[in-house]
Amino acid sequence: EKVWVRLSELSGKLRVACTHVVDIKPGQKWQSEEYLLTPHKQGWAKGIEPYRQFVKENLRRPYPLPKHIREGIGFRTVYMTEAYPNDPDGDYTFKCSDLPRVARECKEHGIDEMCLWVWNWNLQVPVTRPFPQIGTEADMRQAAEECKRIGVNVNLFISLMAVANPTAERYGLKVPPPSEGWTYHTEFVPMMRPYYGSGLSCAYLPTTDKRWQEEVFSACKHLCDAMSPSIGWDQFGGYPSEPGLYTLVDKVRAYAKAKDPEATFNGESISNVETDAAYLDYTWNWNGWPWRGGG
């Protein structure tokens, strides 16, 4: 659905319209869903109040929000590397040993959650180990535990919905041209999806794939045991299917919460945020260029 909104400078009237992309065949009937409009004089924060109340009455979360998320003002995205460990000039922004210092800086500014990006070679199943230039799994776990003592939770972002080679080949998938992948680096021209870079070109796996379900659950269990039970999920797109992404995440969250009741689970909601919200503690969605983070 696409919404069109226009305020007339002459009459002061607001016109709202939307399109439904629906193919109605001869003899078929179709009826629109119901729309509720809540006019208000103040800004969006006032206008969202009726919807917020609707969510409170209808959303059923398996797990309550962790206290530091419910009461927090935000989180910090930490890009550990640019994903090129063989770069002769060195490729890291932060090592595992740097994380407690970053956590103290976060705490000083009222931030209690860090989401680590590009700490490993992503788009692979199972989850790969941390890049050697930043440390080992033991180093990451030690850093996460020290950050926790400081009062800042460490969340590890992973990407397992889209897969690059060799995982794509193992699943019998063919990756598309570079222009459709996620290859990027600040020294590339252009920085995102250069025509000559195909290292992170990827294909998408169906979440109903039994082998994928089993391998990803096993990988997430290892992540919780070896480094941190708090997980960020790239391209969190849940659809009605059984088994599906929600089926898997139910199991992952139960395992993580058993390790740490305050463990977090965030994701890049790409399908239906109202449904995804039952599983996500907070979202990580692009807001501008990736090097500037999101939230």
Side-chain angles (χ1 to χ4, degrees):
E1 295 152 2
K2 304 296 182 183
V3 178
W4 179 86
V5 181
R6 179 169 295 177
L7 177 64
S8 172
E9 296 180 355
L10 298 177
S11 66
K13 293 182 178 180
L14 179 69
R15 184 182 179 190
V16 180
C18 81
T19 60
H20 289 267
V21 183
V22 179
D23 184 12
I24 307 171
K25 293 183 170 29
Q28 289 185 334
K29 295 182 179 180
W30 174 83
Q31 182 174 336
S32 168
E33 295 291 340
E34 186 178 55
Y35 282 78
L36 297 178
L37 301 181
T38 55
H40 53 94
K41 292 183 179 180
Q42 293 82 10
W44 70 267
K46 184 66 177 177
I48 201 69
E49 288 180 358
Y51 181 69
R52 182 184 294 122
Q53 186 60 35
F54 170 81
V55 170
K56 287 182 179 179
E57 295 172 358
N58 291 275
L59 181 64
R60 299 291 179 261
R61 291 180 54 87
Y63 302 99
L65 283 176
K67 184 175 184 294
H68 74 281
I69 296 297
R70 186 176 64 253
E71 300 177 358
I73 61 172
F75 66 96
R76 178 172 178 176
T77 298
V78 181
Y79 266 77
M80 302 294 287
T81 75
E82 293 197 69
Y84 290 87
N86 297 324
D87 187 337
D89 294 329
D91 174 33
Y92 70 89
T93 307
F94 301 101
K95 295 183 177 181
C96 293
S97 57
D98 295 321
L99 292 176
R101 172 176 58 82
V102 179
R104 283 189 288 270
E105 182 180 89
C106 288
K107 195 67 178 177
E108 290 173 1
H109 293 82
I111 300 296
D112 300 324
E113 177 93 357
M114 296 193 305
C115 181
L116 308 190
W117 268 61
V118 203
W119 57 273
N120 71 332
W121 187 251
N122 239 324
L123 307 174
Q124 302 294 332
V125 179
V127 177
T128 61
R129 297 178 184 275
F131 283 125
Q133 70 268 35
I134 70 168
T136 63
E137 288 186 340
D139 294 332
M140 182 67 81
R141 179 174 183 174
Q142 181 180 347
E145 291 174 348
E146 187 171 345
C147 291
K148 192 84 168 179
R149 289 191 289 270
I150 294 169
V152 177
N153 187 61
V154 173
N155 181 292
L156 298 178
F157 205 79
I158 57 177
S159 187
L160 305 173
M161 296 276 282
V163 291
N165 286 329
T167 297
E169 291 178 334
R170 185 163 60 85
Y171 274 84
L173 300 174
K174 184 177 181 180
V175 298
S179 60
E180 299 178 33
W182 294 105
T183 301
Y184 52 82
H185 192 283
T186 51
E187 295 178 5
F188 287 161
V189 181
M191 288 187 286
M192 175 72 82
R193 295 170 169 171
Y195 72 92
Y196 52 84
S198 59
L200 294 179
S201 293
C202 50
Y204 289 86
L205 277 165
T207 59
T208 54
D209 187 297
K210 183 179 179 181
R211 181 170 49 150
W212 181 85
Q213 288 262 336
E214 293 174 350
E215 287 193 343
V216 171
F217 179 58
S218 176
C220 288
K221 284 175 59 179
H222 176 76
L223 196 69
C224 293
D225 294 336
M227 288 174 282
S228 172
S230 292
I231 296 173
W233 192 279
D234 192 15
Q235 300 165 334
F236 192 85
Y239 301 93
S241 58
E242 188 64 37
L245 181 59
Y246 295 149
T247 314
L248 172 68
V249 170
D250 266 339
K251 294 168 58 180
V252 172
R253 294 225 64 180
Y255 190 87
K257 285 292 187 180
K259 301 286 293 185
D260 179 5
E262 291 293 293
T264 59
F265 191 91
N266 79 70
E268 180 192 22
S269 178
I270 62 172
S271 56
N272 187 323
V273 71
E274 284 86 356
T275 307
D276 294 347
Y279 302 87
L280 303 178
D281 294 323
Y282 60 95
T283 59
W284 202 117
N285 280 44
W286 293 121
N287 181 18
W289 185 244
W291 312 115
R292 306 195 183 282

